[in-house]
Amino acid sequence: MKPDMFEAPDYYNIDELLTEEHKLVRDAARSWVKREVSPIIETHAQQATFPTSIIQGLAGIGAFGPYIPPEYGGAGLDQISYGLIMQEIERGDSGVRSTASVQSSLVMYPIWKYGSEAQRKKYLPKLASGEYMGCFGLTEPDHGSNPAGMTTHFKDAGDHYLLNGAKLWISNAPFAQIAVVWAKDESGRIHGLIVERGMEGFSTPETHNKWSLRASATGELIFDNVKVPKDHILPGRSGLGAPLSCLDSARYGIAWGAIGAAMDCYDTALRYAKERIQFDKPIAGTQLQQKKLAEMITEITKAQLLAWRLGVLRDQGKATSAQISMAKRNNVAMAITIAREARQVLGGMGITGEYSIMRHMMNLESVITYEGTHDIHLLITGMDITGIAAFK
Ligand code: TGC
Ligand code: FAD
């Protein structure tokens, strides 16, 4: 792969909206990605392996629990800093950002928000340092967009719960030490349970042959009469709103992350277009390529403003789930469109692993599907503005 020459576009001087701390956090993540992710990521994506060597580095830049309080090992940062970290990581690779999103928003967040004090103390510092990796089991083979229909269930068996069922498409599953699993009790109420690797009857087979997020490990969670100690239930909240509130945090991070992938595609295409000579002049001097590049920077700028404003609202505790849906949907669609256009700017070179664009493009096919599909987020916006749910 070519050396990482990335220069971040900032067409509307958005840096002026950031504090010194935001810029420090962002720049530390940016340098780390250049140094540690860019040189190895293409090989991992080609070989479909997760780069375990970067786990410590992710912890070092505060990517595991950026907004979790320091008393539990988190970085204690605000939501804009969290977003900027996700942006920089996804600039490197969406699969690496996935690993950080799951660890922070889908594992640490529910334990912090809905766990007991003993669970917080037991798990959060280890998750923040990367000693433990976690995964989040909501989706099932027959229930993806409609998690309310889940069939994974547990029953009271005296001094423990007995858990049965299966989860599919679970990021980090093949190597995670713990899984936050959503399952129904005997009355059909959804609860979160912390399941540990090594519990009898719990297995995590890997899902192979993905053309997307190849540097992220994806798998199943299978529960065959797993005895889960009673103190492994998250006591703070039950019902579908509990996992959905975790998704709010992860979807917010994706709204920023997608900007990173788009910026990398734009920056690569711009540099290539200025250097590539056809018909005796740089292709950047042709109207057709300028149209592509001008539209890319316009859409990136709009997405940056959307994410920044959403971050401010989240820091004020005012962001709604529907506002988060809009940003996730818009920014991921923006990124995938830019990736497709940027790939064309590079002509044949665009399909090779010499450049990051095709990898981003394939990764974004997962990003536009997980954490709520493009369609589901449109329906969430539709429900918000009309008051009528059109899911069913
Ligand atoms: P509905 O009846 O609307 O809601 C049920 C309860 O949940 C509450 N609620 C929320 N609470 C917090 N945050 C949100 N975003 C919430 N949305 C809804 C709601 O108020 C209600 O509470 P209560 O107290 O009245 O019971 O639920 P529904 O069954 O009609 O479904 C609504 C729908 C379709 C929007 C929801 O099911 C949905 O978002 N589906 C998409 C599923 C999804 O996003 N799955 C993601 C799986 S995890 C993943 O993909 C990780 S990828 C990781 C990576 O690698 O980065
Ligand atoms: P379906 O729900 O079957 O949807 C199929 C199509 O139907 C989509 O186009 C959808 O938009 C459309 N559709 C569905 N319902 C409606 C409707 N009411 N109206 C109109 N159209 C509709 N899940 C986890 O729990 N944890 C994870 O860590 C995780 N990681 C993932 C990693 C990867 C790489 C991938 C690909 C997925 C991951 N997921 C994870 C699962 C992901 O959240 C689901 O794939 C997603 O929610 C969609 O579910 P589905 O694939 O079953 O599609």
Side-chain angles (χ1 to χ4, degrees), residues 78-150:
D78 67 5
Q79 290 290 313
I80 301 261
S81 297
Y82 161 44
L84 288 164
I85 293 173
M86 295 299 119
Q87 172 187 286
E88 294 307 316
I89 298 175
E90 192 147 0
R91 208 278 299 169
D93 189 78
S94 305
V96 178
R97 197 269 308 135
S98 272
T99 296
S101 289
V102 170
Q103 183 88 342
S104 297
S105 294
L106 301 182
V107 179
M108 296 179 74
Y109 178 84
I111 294 175
W112 174 51
K113 220 48 190 168
Y114 309 128
S116 66
E117 192 54 23
Q119 289 167 342
R120 289 187 196 117
K121 288 197 169 122
K122 179 175 176 189
Y123 295 110
L124 292 179
K126 287 186 170 144
L127 290 161
S129 69
E131 182 184 341
Y132 274 12
M133 294 302 292
C135 65
F136 175 89
L138 182 64
T139 305
E140 298 187 350
D142 294 330
H143 300 94
S145 296
N146 179 26
M150 71 173 67

Side-chain angles (χ1 to χ4, degrees), residues 102 136-139 143-145 168-171 210 213 218 366 369-373 375-376 379 390-391:
V102 170
F136 175 89
L138 182 64
T139 305
H143 300 94
S145 296
L168 185 65
W169 292 119
I170 308 304
S171 302
K210 292 179 300 169
L213 288 193
T218 313
S366 288
T369 296
Y370 67 30
E371 299 277 4
T373 65
D375 297 330
I376 288 296
L379 294 175
F391 304 105

